[in-house]
């Protein structure tokens, strides 16, 4: 996450507000609501019991058998579902049962602030690519143990989301899936709608809690897991590892240099370049999917992006799934997830330069081009590893999980050089306001207690526990409740020779290396040879810099919540989990997270319901139509009078279709999740909505007659949703010098975008 404080200060008027945005009455109301909320938070008596149990294991134990979870959502499955009950272990020689599922989690495409950059003007105005939850279920028939590995196109997995998903899993599956064996991680895209956290700092940093987005994300994660569960079948899991160079760069190299020379000498770069890929196959030969980890921030798209997008990792998934013919409306389809790792100090702009604002510049042009380049590099490498030599993962499944209170954790003297030490209540330093080259802030990096500034010194006197960090906000010491999580989930998952280290944080490169070493040292005697730092998992509690990097107080150090011994705390607690795993002992939690659902919630302001089309126009009518003819490389643009997109986010559906005339009728060749299309929304006068659909015609398009379709819902009286459709004129796509053909074969789904693709990601307002 970036530049939290910078964005907030800008909104507070401490820094200049963005021009037109600041003039908006709705947004001024939002600012007022935000700060009124802050004041209320300080005034209202606490409603959050300090140790109220939100432990999923304390949830109701009633087990409601699902009628058919796959039939829950309305989706247009037109292929036979492949769902089947899990096979009996004795029927198969395959070492595992494997299953995969994918489901839409694209939140409201209008008016919801995006999470990550804390740029209050960055509210959703349409869709570049849809967001997905991608799930794999893995069962070891010999032991009966199973794990769920989920990756979601989101900034993070907030505690409220993971808790609600676990509640729903419990209601459906009883004790089969719990916090212990369910691992939910985020890609860390910075262009997804926010409002998913109960913790004040993260809800206020996205202009409030969005119930609509929360429900969509929770349901989508749940549905993806159900689909993975339902498609379980005998199969194998194989692993491949290899380097991906020229795809990542350190954004905090001066802090990295503070790590000991002999430690740095063991590595060839100041970022981790290794990618790990798991390949899932069914015993009947059918490919199930791929799950990869590679450490890089999903910040190829910058804070001027207002279209929802999965950023570079979402784009990599899109390419892999397109190549494998994934059907998003079908259970058991091929799923490709690109998860993140220790990306705390890693940007996706290798070889780039800083612009005037000191942010990475995309040398290829608009940032969306660099996004495609980064996504394609990750896809190409993952694909090569997937198709190449792979090692079977055998040796069973096991896992350990524990909630740990990091606000005052005693650290083993062996990790501190003999000195007594402990972690501190959560707090962020002044340099968090500095941001990073992925999204610059308003102050300078490196503000520490050695600073001559009076403010820094004063803040240091108030919070000595935090060492050199001048505390700008003590997030662990909210009057009513902590503003950020302090009781956090730690998780280890072992699959044969592989261990996944599930951490709810952004670890820097060297922090991740040290934590991997700590865990591997304990597990090597039982045959574990490779550790993956699975970051952004199960909750979110800031960054983790090494103690040496912390002294520099760059953005990452300033965002290390629990003080300079934070990493040591992670090492100590993960070591305990690893020993318990090795020795077969349970790991009961010593604390439970507070029940934040009862805490004060800032809510995103809602638009007053109701839609209008201009006088004399119908919903779906075309305001600016397509031209007569196009050639590949050109962009078709059609504008409609439409409804407010949030009336129905069309989960598992699409706001647009690009259709080609075929002998059997109109064939759809692209949807709103395709990278070659864009769906844009803009508010008009008197509750009108201006919808724009853009289609970049791919280089290998099939010549013919085409049209653009847009669909949506208006909100009538008493909240009734009324569907509507609009269609453009029919236009010709022809190769230069050719005549369009009316009867040509149906093209392969989703041809590659033209090289000159994509221009607009942020809407002109
Ligand atoms: Zn981040």
């Amino acid at each position: 996450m970036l530049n939290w404080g910078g964005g907030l200060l800008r909104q507070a008027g401490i820094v200049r507000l963005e021009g037109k945005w600041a003039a908006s009455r709705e947004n001024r109301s939002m600012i007022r609501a935000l700060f009124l909320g802050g004041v209320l938070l300080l005034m209202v008596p606490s409603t959050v019991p300090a140790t109220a149990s939100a432990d999923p294991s304390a949830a109701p134990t009633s087990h409601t058998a699902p009628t058919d979870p796959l039939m829950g959502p309305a989706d247009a499955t037109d292929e036979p579902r492949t769902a089947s009950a899990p096979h009996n272990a004795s029927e198969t020689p395959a070492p595992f049962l494997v299953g995969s599922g994918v489901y839409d989690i694209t939140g409201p495409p209008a008016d919801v602030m995006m999470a990550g950059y804390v740029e209050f003007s960055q509210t959703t105005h349409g869709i570049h690519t849809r967001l997905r939850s991608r799930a794999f279920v893995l069962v070891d028939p010999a032991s009966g143990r199973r794990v769920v590995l989920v990756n979601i196109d989101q900034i993070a997995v907030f505690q409220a989301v993971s808790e609600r998903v676990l509640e729903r899993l419990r209601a459906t599956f009883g004790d089969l899936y719990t916090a212990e064996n369910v691992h939910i991680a985020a890609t860390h895209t910075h262009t997804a709608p926010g409002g998913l956290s109960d913790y004040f700092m993260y809800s206020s940093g996205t202009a409030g809690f969005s119930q609509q987005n929360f429900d969509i994300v929770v349901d989508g994660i749940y549905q993806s897991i159900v689909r993975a569960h339902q498609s379980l079948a005998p199969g194998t899991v194989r692993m491949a590892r290899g380097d991906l160079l020229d795809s990542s760069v350190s954004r905090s190299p001066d802090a990295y240099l503070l790590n000991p020379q002999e430690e740095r000498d063991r590595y060839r770069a100041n970022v981790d370049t290794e990618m790990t890929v798991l390949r899932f196959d069914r015993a009947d030969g059918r490919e199930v999917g791929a799950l990869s980890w590679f450490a890089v921030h999903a910040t190829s798209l910058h804070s001027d992006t207002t279209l929802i997008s999965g950023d570079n990792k979402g784009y990599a998934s899109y390419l892999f799934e397109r190549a494998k013919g994934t059907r998003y409306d079908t259970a058991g389809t091929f799923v490709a997830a690109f998860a993140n790792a220790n990306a705390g100090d890693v940007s996706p702009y290798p070889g780039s330069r800083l612009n005037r604002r000191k942010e990475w510049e995309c040398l290829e042009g608009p940032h969306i081009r660099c996004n495609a380049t980064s996504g394609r590099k990750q896809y190409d490498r993952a694909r090569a590893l997937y198709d190449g030599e792979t090692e079977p993962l055998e040796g069973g499944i096991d896992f350990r999980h524990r909630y740990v209170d990091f606000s005052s954790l005693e650290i083993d003297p062996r990790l501190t050089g003999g000195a007594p030490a402990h972690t501190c209540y959560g707090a962020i330093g002044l340099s968090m306001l500095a941001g990073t080259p992925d999204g610059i802030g308003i102050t300078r990096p490196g503000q520490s207690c050695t600073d001559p500034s009076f403010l820094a010194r004063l803040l240091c006197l108030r919070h000595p526990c935090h060492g050199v960090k001048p505390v700008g906000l003590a997030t662990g010491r909210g009057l009513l409740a902590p503003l950020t999580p302090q009781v956090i989930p730690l998780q280890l998952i072992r699959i044969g020779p592989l261990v996944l280290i599930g951490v709810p944080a952004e670890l820097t490169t060297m922090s991740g290396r040290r934590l991997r070493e700590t865990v591997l040292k304990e597990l090597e005697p039982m045959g574990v040879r490779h550790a993956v730092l699975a970051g952004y998992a199960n909750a979110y509690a800031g960054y983790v810099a090494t103690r040496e990097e912390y002294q520099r107080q760059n953005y990452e150090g300033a965002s290390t919540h629990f003080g300079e011994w934070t990493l040591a705390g992670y090492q100590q607690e993960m070591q305990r989990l690893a020993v318990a795993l090795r020795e077969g002992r349970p790991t009961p939690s010593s604390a439970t997270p507070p029940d934040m659902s009862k805490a004060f919630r800032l809510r995103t302001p809602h638009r007053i319901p109701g839609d209008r089309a201009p006088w004399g126009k119908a919903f779906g009518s075309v305001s600016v139509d397509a031209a007569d003819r196009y050639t590949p490389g050109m962009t078709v643009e059609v504008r409609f009078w439409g409804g407010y997109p949030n009336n129905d986010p069309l989960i598992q559906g699409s706001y647009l279709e690009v259709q080609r005339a075929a002998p059997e009728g109109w064939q759809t060749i692209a949807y709103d999740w395709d990278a070659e299309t864009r769906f844009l929304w803009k508010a008009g006068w008197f509750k009108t909505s201006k919808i724009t659909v853009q289609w970049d015609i791919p280089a290998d398009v099939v010549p013919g007659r085409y049209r653009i379709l847009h669909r949506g819902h208006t909100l009538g009286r008493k909240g009734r949703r009324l569907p509507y459709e609009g269609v453009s004129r029919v236009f010709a796509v022809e190769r230069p010098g050719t005549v369009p053909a009316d009867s040509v074969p149906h093209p392969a789904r989703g041809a590659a975008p033209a090289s000159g693709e994509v221009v607009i990601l942020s809407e002109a307002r």
Side-chain angles (χ1 to χ4, degrees):
M1 290 209 184
L2 294 165
N3 193 17
W4 186 91
L8 199 58
L9 286 182
R10 262 194 287 278
Q11 308 323 313
I14 296 170
V15 196
R16 184 182 61 83
L17 285 165
E18 309 289 333
K20 286 182 183 172
W21 185 82
S24 148
R25 188 153 44 90
E26 283 176 3
N27 287 319
R28 282 206 303 271
S29 307
M30 190 164 72
I31 297 168
R32 277 198 294 273
L34 191 65
F35 282 91
L36 183 61
V39 172
L40 283 175
L41 186 84
L42 298 172
M43 293 172 63
V44 181
S46 174
T47 54
V48 183
T51 55
S53 174
D55 184 351
S57 64
T61 53
S62 64
H63 177 186
T64 310
T67 47
D68 180 359
L70 279 183
M71 298 302 287
D75 58 17
T77 301
D78 56 9
E79 285 187 358
R81 295 177 191 277
T82 54
S84 60
H87 289 57
N88 188 314
S90 62
E91 292 173 5
T92 171
F96 294 110
L97 303 178
V98 295
S100 65
V102 58
Y103 207 83
D104 193 350
I105 55 169
T106 310
D111 285 335
V112 176
M113 186 178 158
M114 291 176 167
Y117 291 114
V118 198
E119 190 65 56
F120 280 62
S121 61
Q122 193 195 13
T123 56
T124 54
H125 278 77
I127 296 174
H128 170 230
T129 55
R130 279 194 177 253
L131 310 176
R132 312 274 179 194
S133 172
R134 298 176 169 88
F136 300 90
V137 175
L138 194 55
V139 183
D140 172 15
S143 66
R145 294 192 195 106
R146 62 178 63 209
V147 289
V148 182
L149 306 176
V150 184
N151 191 243
I152 61 174
D153 290 324
Q154 289 290 327
I155 185 77
V157 180
F158 293 104
Q159 180 188 311
V161 170
S162 53
E163 283 178 355
R164 186 71 190 114
V165 169
L166 290 168
E167 280 172 24
R168 292 201 50 192
L169 289 172
R170 174 176 287 274
T172 305
F173 297 104
D175 291 331
L176 206 54
Y177 299 116
T178 66
E180 304 263 321
N181 64 348
V182 174
H183 169 89
I184 309 175
T187 59
H188 203 44
T189 173
H190 283 48
T191 42
L196 298 175
S197 178
D198 276 333
Y199 282 91
F200 184 76
M201 178 158 142
Y202 300 130
S203 63
S204 64
T206 53
F209 187 87
S210 167
Q211 190 67 49
Q212 186 180 24
N213 193 27
F214 182 82
D215 292 344
I216 287 169
V217 172
V218 166
D219 187 62
I221 297 171
Y222 168 79
Q223 298 293 349
S224 67
I225 295 172
V226 167
R227 286 173 175 231
H229 172 89
Q230 295 282 352
S231 64
L232 278 169
T236 58
V237 185
R238 305 178 70 87
M239 177 173 69
R241 297 155 56 188
D243 282 316
L244 172 56
L245 306 173
D246 302 328
S247 293
S248 54
V249 62
S250 174
R251 68 184 192 191
S252 200
D254 52 343
Y256 179 90
L257 283 173
L258 297 179
N259 294 308
Q261 177 82 48
E262 60 273 20
E263 184 182 34
R264 287 184 280 121
D265 286 347
R266 292 167 49 208
Y267 305 97
R268 71 175 171 193
N270 57 4
V271 293
D272 276 347
T273 54
E274 187 176 70
M275 175 182 273
T276 301
V277 176
L278 298 188
R279 175 183 174 135
F280 302 87
D281 289 280
R282 281 168 47 149
D284 61 11
R286 188 164 151 183
E287 294 175 54
V288 171
L291 171 57
S292 64
W293 289 268
F294 178 72
V296 68
H297 252 74
T299 47
S300 290
L301 300 173
H302 279 193
S303 62
D304 56 353
T305 304
T306 56
L307 300 189
I308 293 171
S309 175
D311 207 86
N312 55 51
K313 289 190 177 282
Y315 192 80
S317 287
Y318 167 75
L319 291 177
F320 208 154
E321 289 168 350
R322 189 177 69 180
K324 290 290 182 184
T326 294
R327 291 287 310 259
Y328 293 115
D329 56 2
T330 305
T333 194
F334 184 91
V335 175
F338 285 76
N340 225 322
N342 45 328
D345 55 351
V346 188
S347 285
Y349 277 98
S352 183
R353 60 173 178 244
L354 300 177
N355 64 14
R356 276 189 299 118
R357 275 169 56 91
K358 298 201 171 161
E359 289 177 339
W360 298 119
E361 196 172 332
C362 177
L363 303 180
E364 299 170 58
H367 283 276
I368 193 165
R369 295 215 178 116
C370 285
N371 182 62
T373 301
S374 174
R376 180 165 288 283
K377 282 179 180 173
Q378 291 180 65
Y379 161 64
D380 285 345
R381 192 69 186 110
R383 184 65 195 270
L385 291 166
Y386 179 91
D387 289 335
E389 195 173 325
T390 52
E391 166 194 3
L393 292 191
E394 289 168 2
I397 293 174
D398 208 349
F399 42 81
R400 289 294 182 277
H401 172 278
R402 194 162 181 258
Y403 287 107
V404 177
D405 186 347
F406 263 66
S407 63
S408 58
L409 199 58
E410 292 295 329
I411 303 297
D412 188 326
R414 283 173 293 183
L415 287 163
T416 68
H422 57 86
T423 57
C424 315
Y425 49 87
I428 54 174
L430 283 182
S431 290
M432 193 189 189
L433 304 184
T436 73
D438 290 322
I440 208 70
I442 55 168
T443 63
R444 63 182 170 80
Q447 294 175 87
S448 81
C449 293
T450 58
D451 226 74
S453 105
F454 174 74
L455 176 63
R457 285 171 181 251
L458 189 69
L459 294 172
C460 294
L461 286 176
R462 279 179 57 85
H463 302 280
C465 179
H466 284 270
V468 298
K469 181 206 288 173
V471 170
L473 184 63
T475 59
R477 287 192 161 175
L479 281 183
L480 309 180
L483 308 183
T484 54
Q486 303 198 106
V487 178
I488 57 177
L490 305 180
Q491 186 180 46
L492 289 182
I493 293 175
R494 183 218 175 170
I495 308 168
L498 169 71
V499 64
L500 307 179
I501 305 170
V503 289
E506 313 193 37
L507 271 69
T508 61
T509 301
M510 197 62 96
S511 295
R513 289 167 176 167
R514 289 187 194 171
L515 193 54
R516 289 201 306 257
E517 275 189 358
T518 298
V519 171
L520 268 183
K521 196 174 153 202
E522 300 299 337
L523 297 185
E524 269 169 351
M526 61 191 298
V528 175
R529 298 189 307 277
H530 183 51
V532 164
L533 197 291
Y536 310 88
N538 303 318
Y540 183 81
Y543 281 69
V544 180
T546 68
R547 186 170 174 242
E548 294 85 348
E549 292 162 351
Y550 185 89
Q551 309 309 315
R552 180 71 183 88
Q553 282 296 298
N554 279 350
Y555 177 83
E556 295 79 14
S559 307
T560 297
H561 288 188
F562 307 110
E564 63 186 315
W565 298 108
T566 301
L567 175 60
Y570 273 93
Q571 287 178 285
Q572 168 178 294
E573 297 304 311
M574 281 297 186
Q575 184 192 28
R576 288 175 181 169
L577 282 190
V579 170
L581 191 148
R582 190 183 69 215
E583 296 177 351
R585 287 189 286 106
T587 53
S589 292
S590 58
T592 51
D595 181 3
M596 297 297 294
S597 66
K598 295 186 178 65
F600 171 78
R601 265 184 183 172
L602 267 182
R603 290 186 181 273
T604 49
H606 283 286
R607 173 172 135 143
I608 299 163
D611 288 293
R612 290 219 178 95
W615 193 79
K617 304 282 185 189
F619 288 105
S621 60
V622 174
S623 61
V624 180
D625 215 334
D628 282 338
R629 325 185 155 260
Y630 295 88
T631 53
M634 296 174 76
T635 296
V636 182
E637 182 172 294
V638 182
R639 295 184 187 174
F640 300 88
W641 292 109
Y644 190 51
N646 297 4
N647 292 340
D648 187 335
L650 296 180
I651 295 302
Q652 294 284 94
S654 175
Y655 287 102
L656 67 91
E657 293 181 28
V658 179
Q659 297 183 325
R660 189 180 62 76
E664 60 273 30
W666 288 102
Q667 301 279 328
T668 299
I669 61 136
Y671 298 87
D672 64 10
W673 61 80
D674 282 298
E676 70 215 46
T677 67
R678 287 173 300 284
F679 167 74
L680 296 92
W681 167 82
K682 184 178 176 184
W685 293 99
F686 306 114
K687 292 189 182 177
T688 57
S689 283
K690 299 174 181 175
I691 305 293
T692 303
V693 175
Q694 294 175 340
W695 176 45
D696 300 320
I697 303 175
D700 57 352
V701 68
V702 175
R705 293 190 304 134
Y706 285 79
R707 67 179 190 179
I708 303 282
L709 182 147
H710 158 59
R711 67 166 56 89
H713 289 76
T714 65
L715 211 54
R717 285 185 193 168
K718 298 182 181 172
R720 275 185 62 213
R721 276 186 299 191
L722 306 168
Y724 71 87
E725 265 188 17
V727 186
S728 76
R729 76 198 299 176
V730 177
F731 55 88
V733 175
E734 36 190 81
R735 299 216 169 271
T738 63
V739 178
D742 282 348
S743 53
V744 285
H746 181 54
R749 269 280 303 110
S755 57
E757 64 156 350
V758 283
V759 180
I760 298 173
L761 254 198
S762 87
E763 202 200 1
R765 272 180 257 166

